[in-house]
Amino acid sequence: MCAMWRLQVALCTLSVLLSLSSAGESKARSCSEVRQAYNVKGFSLVNVPHQEISGEHLRVCPQGYTCCTSEMEDKLHQQSKQEFEILVEESSRNMRTTFVSRHKKFDEFFLELLDNSEKSLNSMFTRTYGKLYMQNSEVFQDLFTELKRYYTGGNVNLEEMLNDFWSRLLERMFQLLNSQYHFTDDYLECVSKYADQLKPFGDVPRKLKAQVTRAFIAARTFVQGLMVGREVANRVAKVNVVPACVKALTKMLYCPYCRGMPGLKPCHNYCHNVMRGCLANQADLDAEWNLFIDAMLLVADRLEGPFNIEAIIEPVDIKISEAIMTMQDNSMTVSAKVFQGCGQPKPSGIGRSARGISDVFSARFRPFTPEERPTTAAGTSLERLVIDIKEKLKESKRFWTNLPDDICAKGKLSEFDEEQCWNSHTKGRYFPEVVKEGLTNQQNNPEVDVDITRPDTLIRQQIMALRVMTNKLKNAYNGNDIYFQDSSDEGSSSGSGSGCSDGCTTEVVYVATEAPVIGADRSDERAAAAAAGKSLSCGPSVLLVMFALTLWAMQTQWR
């Protein structure tokens, strides 16, 4: 009986060993698809295996039979990093381009608006006042020069500058209207002191100052905001890829190559976990980014309404001419009160011309008709331009938290079919839950080992830059002036987008680590051992069967 059992055991063992030998020969699958895909990436096929080899040397990918050598895994590791950087840049390109193009459009529009307004005033005043204007044109030229300097970030106090313009205009006008007298500099300074009391230009200076100040503050802050948004987006798009992220990317993008399935895309949720881990710091930017966009939209509303710079600057020549007419009409009263307060001036010895100065200033001022007035910014109106910018700004809200979704869009990077996708170790459904966005939520990320205690320095600098800019925008919304530091100052307070140059991004060096041991399912082995123990206790023969079955189970596991 026992002899018969031993014979059966021997035959069973021989059968198992033969099947193992046959399986060993069949499992060395071809790597032709992998070689082709690897070559398409631009890599040499030298030393790339034609058939699967043992994978004990792999540090990132599963260590079963593989089509990857150590050198291949290293190259694919670097390829993963480069492709991820490109993915982030490409996914953010439209948004970044929006800030670049709209900043350029708004800037060109505004400067052209100022240029055309200056040309309009020069043309109208030359035609209306002739030589008298040309002899005093620097007063008006200086006005537009200072307005441009303020808009482009110069340290100009708008109220003081406008007060100075009206004071200089008053001095010139007073002399022209009283050309029979000689006025010293001290006397003219005395004349300026009576400006607030006499209001020689009527209410025009007060109204124009309020309108210009609010509109220029809003316009300058808005264009600065577009610049800050552009620079922050450009810097954040240059993602700092840490080693743990590169390892997770390699496992997701290229371990299918090593397993002989180069065309297999990652599962959608798997991709989400990897991207949320790699872009955790970018997601933390989103809260401040959204506040910044909201503040930009508020100022844009002001530019469409009460702070519309186009409606204020285009007719500025008419408003200044009205002020001149007002002073001409009140010249006798103004002169009498000035003479009373500052003293009687000495005669110049030069009489007034046959054609009185009053006649010159009473000449009818005719503004441009709509057909004559120069078009601005290729015919674009401020309202249309601002509406366009507002639409683009709204589209950029929640951009950074949505970035993983955009990158992992089904069909683009990840697979539609949740059963026919790469789940980090084989083809099949991905079961772990998707973690929430943000650094603190990555503590339980199953795919990326994120150090939540070390926030990215560059991202934190951009958060501060946005915070500073948002504060400036809120002030501009309320019509309050804000001091913009020169661009050579600290970026976090100048509105330049960052206090950190491109050199702040540290070079990532890949450090090879041991691949984590994946716990294999041993339930089949335990069941086989239990079944063998319940049979006969025929010593070495039973042990031999158990050993053979164990080998067979292990081989099946690697398959």
Side-chain angles (χ1 to χ4, degrees):
M1 186 76 175
C2 193
M4 181 62 73
W5 167 248
R6 286 196 179 97
L7 178 60
Q8 290 176 348
V9 168
L11 290 172
C12 180
T13 302
L14 180 61
S15 175
V16 170
L17 290 174
L18 286 172
S19 67
L20 284 173
S21 175
S22 174
E25 291 175 4
S26 65
K27 71 167 59 75
R29 293 178 297 184
S30 171
C31 295
S32 59
E33 289 185 23
V34 175
R35 285 171 59 84
Q36 183 180 356
Y38 189 71
N39 189 235
V40 168
K41 293 291 180 182
F43 298 119
S44 170
L45 293 178
V46 177
N47 297 325
V48 177
H50 289 271
Q51 289 185 317
E52 288 182 328
I53 59 176
S54 179
E56 293 89 350
H57 55 278
L58 298 179
R59 293 172 296 182
V60 176
C61 297
Q63 295 182 325
Y65 277 85
T66 183
C67 287
C68 289
T69 62
S70 294
E71 182 184 0
M72 288 174 66
E73 190 182 41
D74 289 342
K75 287 181 178 179
L76 293 172
H77 184 275
Q78 291 301 319
Q79 183 74 10
S80 300
K81 178 178 180 293
Q82 293 169 12
E83 288 187 6
F84 176 65
E85 291 170 342
I86 293 170
L87 276 171
V88 174
E89 232 176 303
E90 287 183 346
S91 297
S92 62
R93 180 176 291 132
N94 285 342
M95 187 266 290
R96 290 183 291 113
T97 301
T98 291
F99 277 93
V100 172
S101 62
R102 270 52 183 187
H103 173 269
K104 186 172 183 289
K105 275 188 178 182
F106 190 91
D107 196 49
E108 288 176 349
F109 175 90
F110 196 91
L111 291 173
E112 191 176 346
L113 182 67
L114 283 176
D115 284 341
N116 286 339
S117 182
E118 184 176 6
K119 289 174 185 175
S120 173
L121 184 145
N122 184 65
S123 176
M124 289 294 98
F125 277 36
T126 299
R127 186 167 61 189
T128 304
Y129 306 125
K131 187 177 179 181
L132 285 176
Y133 164 71
M134 296 172 68
Q135 290 173 340
N136 297 277
S137 60
E138 76 276 3
V139 175
F140 303 93
Q141 291 170 0
D142 290 347
L143 168 66
F144 283 96
T145 298
E146 288 300 287
L147 287 173
K148 289 175 188 175
R149 195 163 75 86
Y150 173 84
Y151 169 73
T152 54
N155 184 20
V156 177
N157 186 305
L158 275 179
E159 291 193 10
E160 289 181 5
M161 183 272 292
L162 290 169
N163 288 339
D164 183 60
F165 164 74
W166 291 111
S167 293
R168 291 177 67 192
L169 185 59
L170 172 60
E171 291 175 8
R172 300 295 178 96
M173 286 283 299
F174 189 81
Q175 291 179 84
L176 290 170
L177 291 168
N178 297 279
S179 58
Q180 70 272 31
Y181 296 106
H182 172 73
F183 299 101
T184 64
D185 290 342
D186 289 341
Y187 195 97
L188 291 174
E189 187 175 343
C190 179
V191 172
S192 296
K193 290 178 181 178
Y194 280 86
D196 289 340
Q197 177 185 337
L198 298 175
K199 291 185 171 46
F201 298 112
D203 210 25
V204 173
R206 183 189 65 81
K207 288 182 178 179
L208 192 61
K209 181 168 66 174
Q211 293 171 340
V212 168
T213 299
R214 293 184 306 178
F216 267 77
I217 289 171
R220 182 174 79 161
T221 309
F222 190 72
V223 80
Q224 287 276 353
L226 290 172
M227 184 176 69
V228 168
R230 177 194 71 193
E231 294 190 4
V232 167
N234 282 336
R235 284 189 166 95
V236 177
K238 289 180 170 56
V239 62
N240 180 21
V241 194
V242 297
C245 171
V246 183
K247 182 178 178 181
L249 289 166
T250 304
K251 193 174 182 182
M252 181 181 79
L253 297 173
Y254 287 112
C255 283
Y257 279 54
C258 297
R259 294 306 301 271
M261 298 175 284
L264 193 62
K265 291 182 179 180
C267 299
H268 190 60
N269 287 351
Y270 175 34
C271 180
H272 265 283
N273 275 337
V274 172
M275 291 302 164
R276 288 192 176 181
C278 289
L279 296 170
N281 284 284
Q282 279 74 9
D284 281 353
L285 181 79
D286 212 52
E288 201 63 47
W289 177 266
N290 292 335
L291 291 174
F292 161 70
I293 296 298
D294 287 339
M296 286 288 289
L297 292 170
L298 285 174
V299 175
D301 288 339
R302 289 289 206 217
L303 289 172
E304 285 183 284
F307 297 177
N308 188 318
I309 194 72
E310 191 174 25
I312 294 166
I313 290 300
E314 277 195 342
V316 73
D317 47 6
I318 300 174
K319 293 175 182 177
I320 293 174
S321 182
E322 288 175 358
I324 291 173
M325 296 298 179
T326 299
M327 181 168 178
Q328 190 272 328
D329 292 340
N330 300 322
S331 62
M332 299 295 290
T333 304
V334 170
S335 296
K337 290 185 177 179
V338 168
F339 293 161
Q340 183 180 356
C342 299
Q344 188 69 25
K346 295 179 180 180
S348 64
I350 302 174
R352 301 182 72 170
S353 62
R355 182 192 179 199
I357 298 295
S358 296
D359 295 333
V360 174
F361 281 107
S362 63
R364 193 66 202 155
F365 180 83
R366 186 182 70 83
F368 277 126
T369 64
E371 293 76 22
E372 293 175 315
R373 186 172 293 281
T375 58
T376 56
T380 304
S381 72
L382 179 67
E383 185 178 0
R384 289 201 304 273
L385 181 58
V386 172
I387 288 173
D388 171 65
I389 294 174
K390 283 172 65 177
E391 289 176 357
K392 298 299 181 182
L393 288 172
K394 289 174 183 176
E395 290 173 6
S396 72
K397 286 196 72 173
R398 289 191 56 78
F399 175 82
W400 302 106
T401 50
N402 290 334
L403 186 56
D405 299 349
D406 295 338
I407 292 175
C408 291
K410 288 185 176 181
K412 181 180 177 181
L413 182 65
S414 62
E415 177 56 54
F416 281 101
D417 191 339
E418 290 297 321
E419 298 293 342
Q420 300 294 318
C421 57
W422 176 252
N423 63 12
S424 81
H425 58 277
T426 189
K427 179 166 68 174
R429 181 175 291 274
Y430 181 78
F431 291 102
E433 291 184 0
V434 177
V435 297
K436 294 182 179 179
E437 64 272 359
L439 187 62
T440 56
N441 290 317
Q442 303 312 306
Q443 188 171 5
N444 298 317
N445 192 312
E447 307 303 336
V448 189
D449 185 14
V450 181
D451 185 352
I452 64 171
T453 65
R454 297 183 63 184
D456 187 283
T457 304
L458 177 64
I459 300 296
R460 290 306 178 267
Q461 288 172 339
Q462 305 317 304
I463 288 174
M464 286 304 302
L466 289 173
R467 194 166 293 163
V468 169
M469 191 65 239
T470 300
N471 184 54
K472 291 177 180 178
L473 288 162
K474 288 179 179 178
N475 276 282
Y477 175 79
N478 294 319
N480 298 325
D481 203 355
I482 311 120
Y483 173 62
F484 281 81
Q485 292 183 355
D486 186 77
S487 58
S488 61
D489 294 338
E490 286 297 322
S492 60
S493 57
S494 68
S496 65
S498 169
C500 179
S501 64
D502 292 338
C504 289
T505 304
T506 55
E507 183 66 26
V508 178
V509 180
Y510 169 60
V511 180
T513 57
E514 288 296 323
V517 177
I518 301 174
D521 185 359
R522 304 289 183 180
S523 58
D524 291 342
E525 297 172 34
R526 288 193 293 271
K534 288 180 181 179
S535 300
L536 295 173
S537 58
C538 291
S541 298
V542 176
L543 292 174
L544 186 60
V545 172
M546 290 175 63
F547 174 71
L549 289 171
T550 301
L551 282 176
W552 176 81
M554 290 175 66
Q555 295 289 349
T556 301
Q557 180 67 25
W558 287 119
R559 292 291 295 159

